[in-house]
Amino acid sequence: PNNSQIKSLIEEWLLAKSIVLSGQENQDFSKFARPSLSNRVFQDRQEDKASGDRQIINASISSLEILSQTSKRIAVKVQLNYKDQRINAKGEIVSETVIPSLNVRYIIGRDKNIWQLVDYVSGI
Protein backbone atom coordinates (compact mmCIF):
# COMPACT_ATOMS: atom_id res chain seq x y z
CA PRO A 1 0.00 0.00 0.00
CA ASN A 2 1.05 3.58 -0.58
CA ASN A 3 1.16 6.33 2.08
CA SER A 4 -2.39 7.42 1.33
CA GLN A 5 -3.73 3.87 1.75
CA ILE A 6 -1.79 3.42 5.00
CA LYS A 7 -3.16 6.72 6.29
CA SER A 8 -6.71 5.65 5.37
CA LEU A 9 -6.29 2.32 7.18
CA ILE A 10 -5.13 4.07 10.37
CA GLU A 11 -7.92 6.66 10.08
CA GLU A 12 -10.48 3.82 9.82
CA TRP A 13 -9.00 2.30 12.99
CA LEU A 14 -9.09 5.61 14.87
CA LEU A 15 -12.70 6.29 13.84
CA ALA A 16 -13.99 2.80 14.68
CA LYS A 17 -12.16 2.84 18.02
CA SER A 18 -13.63 6.23 18.93
CA ILE A 19 -17.15 5.08 17.97
CA VAL A 20 -16.93 1.96 20.16
CA LEU A 21 -15.45 3.80 23.15
CA SER A 22 -18.17 6.47 22.90
CA GLY A 23 -20.77 3.78 23.56
CA GLN A 24 -21.80 2.64 20.09
CA GLU A 25 -20.44 -0.86 20.23
CA ASN A 26 -21.39 -2.25 16.82
CA GLN A 27 -18.29 -1.82 14.68
CA ASP A 28 -16.62 -4.25 12.30
CA PHE A 29 -12.84 -3.97 12.57
CA SER A 30 -12.10 -7.02 10.37
CA LYS A 31 -11.18 -5.06 7.23
CA PHE A 32 -8.45 -2.99 8.89
CA ALA A 33 -7.42 -4.51 12.26
CA ARG A 34 -6.54 -7.91 13.65
CA PRO A 35 -8.95 -9.46 16.18
CA SER A 36 -6.46 -8.97 19.02
CA LEU A 37 -6.72 -5.19 18.58
CA SER A 38 -10.49 -5.04 18.18
CA ASN A 39 -10.86 -7.32 21.22
CA ARG A 40 -8.77 -4.83 23.22
CA VAL A 41 -11.13 -2.00 22.24
CA PHE A 42 -14.24 -4.03 23.09
CA GLN A 43 -12.70 -5.00 26.44
CA ASP A 44 -11.99 -1.32 27.21
CA ARG A 45 -15.60 -0.51 26.34
CA GLN A 46 -16.93 -3.26 28.63
CA GLU A 47 -14.87 -1.88 31.51
CA ASP A 48 -16.18 1.64 30.85
CA LYS A 49 -19.74 0.35 30.54
CA ALA A 50 -19.46 -1.47 33.88
CA SER A 51 -18.48 1.79 35.58
CA GLY A 52 -21.03 3.88 33.63
CA ASP A 53 -18.36 5.78 31.70
CA ARG A 54 -17.82 6.50 28.04
CA GLN A 55 -14.97 8.13 26.18
CA ILE A 56 -15.05 10.84 23.56
CA ILE A 57 -11.90 10.66 21.45
CA ASN A 58 -10.79 13.00 18.70
CA ALA A 59 -7.61 12.02 16.90
CA SER A 60 -6.33 13.21 13.55
CA ILE A 61 -3.13 12.39 11.71
CA SER A 62 -0.81 15.33 11.24
CA SER A 63 2.12 13.35 9.79
CA LEU A 64 3.04 9.82 8.77
CA GLU A 65 6.50 8.37 8.19
CA ILE A 66 7.27 4.83 7.04
CA LEU A 67 9.99 3.40 9.29
CA SER A 68 10.37 0.01 7.60
CA GLN A 69 8.58 -1.95 4.92
CA THR A 70 8.68 -5.53 3.66
CA SER A 71 6.24 -7.55 1.57
CA LYS A 72 4.42 -8.67 4.77
CA ARG A 73 5.04 -5.94 7.36
CA ILE A 74 5.10 -2.15 7.56
CA ALA A 75 6.09 -0.02 10.55
CA VAL A 76 4.99 3.60 10.51
CA LYS A 77 5.43 6.51 12.87
CA VAL A 78 2.35 8.69 13.04
CA GLN A 79 1.98 12.03 14.73
CA LEU A 80 -1.57 12.58 16.01
CA ASN A 81 -3.45 15.60 17.26
CA TYR A 82 -5.17 13.85 20.17
CA LYS A 83 -7.87 14.75 22.68
CA ASP A 84 -10.00 12.53 24.87
CA GLN A 85 -12.63 13.02 27.53
CA ARG A 86 -13.98 10.46 29.99
CA ILE A 87 -17.66 11.12 30.71
CA ASN A 88 -19.48 9.53 33.65
CA ALA A 89 -23.10 8.31 33.78
CA LYS A 90 -24.26 11.80 34.85
CA GLY A 91 -22.72 13.31 31.72
CA GLU A 92 -19.93 15.00 33.67
CA ILE A 93 -16.38 15.18 32.33
CA VAL A 94 -14.31 13.10 34.76
CA SER A 95 -10.98 13.54 32.98
CA GLU A 96 -9.60 15.12 29.86
CA THR A 97 -6.35 14.64 27.99
CA VAL A 98 -5.05 16.91 25.24
CA ILE A 99 -1.86 15.97 23.40
CA PRO A 100 -1.23 18.22 20.39
CA SER A 101 1.59 16.01 19.13
CA LEU A 102 1.22 12.35 20.14
CA ASN A 103 3.68 9.96 18.47
CA VAL A 104 2.37 6.46 17.79
CA ARG A 105 4.16 3.58 16.08
CA TYR A 106 1.77 1.35 14.12
CA ILE A 107 2.62 -2.10 12.80
CA ILE A 108 0.66 -3.20 9.75
CA GLY A 109 0.79 -6.78 8.55
CA ARG A 110 -0.37 -8.59 5.45
CA ASP A 111 -2.34 -11.80 5.72
CA LYS A 112 -3.08 -13.20 2.27
CA ASN A 113 -3.97 -10.01 0.36
CA ILE A 114 -5.35 -8.00 3.26
CA TRP A 115 -3.30 -5.38 5.10
CA GLN A 116 -4.40 -4.94 8.71
CA LEU A 117 -3.25 -3.13 11.80
CA VAL A 118 -1.39 -5.63 13.98
CA ASP A 119 -0.23 -3.51 16.90
CA TYR A 120 0.60 0.00 18.05
CA VAL A 121 2.67 1.71 20.72
CA SER A 122 1.83 5.23 21.91
CA GLY A 123 4.30 7.83 23.07
CA ILE A 124 7.37 6.56 21.23
Side-chain angles (χ1 to χ4, degrees), residues 4-57:
S4 177
Q5 291 166 320
I6 292 169
K7 183 179 178 189
S8 292
L9 185 141
I10 295 169
E11 287 173 337
E12 284 183 85
W13 159 255
L14 292 169
L15 178 60
K17 182 178 175 182
S18 71
I19 289 170
V20 169
L21 294 176
S22 73
Q24 305 170 44
E25 298 168 38
N26 296 326
Q27 287 294 305
D28 180 10
F29 288 81
S30 65
K31 291 183 180 167
F32 52 85
R34 297 271 168 90
S36 59
L37 287 184
S38 57
N39 290 342
R40 214 187 303 175
V41 174
F42 291 123
Q43 178 66 38
D44 287 350
R45 176 61 196 135
Q46 288 307 311
E47 291 171 13
D48 285 350
K49 192 175 182 179
S51 63
D53 291 351
R54 61 189 173 93
Q55 297 181 52
I56 307 300
I57 298 174

Side-chain angles (χ1 to χ4, degrees), residues 3-120:
N3 281 15
S4 177
Q5 291 166 320
I6 292 169
K7 183 179 178 189
S8 292
L9 185 141
I10 295 169
E11 287 173 337
E12 284 183 85
W13 159 255
L14 292 169
L15 178 60
K17 182 178 175 182
S18 71
I19 289 170
V20 169
L21 294 176
S22 73
Q24 305 170 44
E25 298 168 38
N26 296 326
Q27 287 294 305
D28 180 10
F29 288 81
S30 65
K31 291 183 180 167
F32 52 85
R34 297 271 168 90
S36 59
L37 287 184
S38 57
N39 290 342
R40 214 187 303 175
V41 174
F42 291 123
Q43 178 66 38
D44 287 350
R45 176 61 196 135
Q46 288 307 311
E47 291 171 13
D48 285 350
K49 192 175 182 179
S51 63
D53 291 351
R54 61 189 173 93
Q55 297 181 52
I56 307 300
I57 298 174
N58 293 305
S60 61
I61 297 172
S62 55
S63 71
L64 181 144
E65 173 190 356
I66 294 177
L67 300 173
S68 65
Q69 185 169 4
T70 68
S71 62
K72 295 243 180 218
R73 183 182 179 278
I74 302 170
V76 294
K77 179 180 174 184
V78 173
Q79 194 169 66
L80 297 174
N81 293 319
Y82 180 87
K83 177 183 177 183
D84 72 34
Q85 295 178 321
R86 180 170 294 278
I87 314 261
N88 67 16
K90 297 176 184 174
E92 301 166 332
I93 298 173
V94 178
S95 66
E96 183 173 43
T97 305
V98 177
I99 305 172
S101 183
L102 174 63
N103 289 318
V104 183
R105 178 180 294 140
Y106 289 98
I107 306 299
I108 301 164
R110 187 176 70 145
D111 188 18
K112 299 182 178 119
N113 288 324
I114 299 172
W115 287 94
Q116 293 178 311
L117 204 58
V118 174
D119 202 3
Y120 64 94

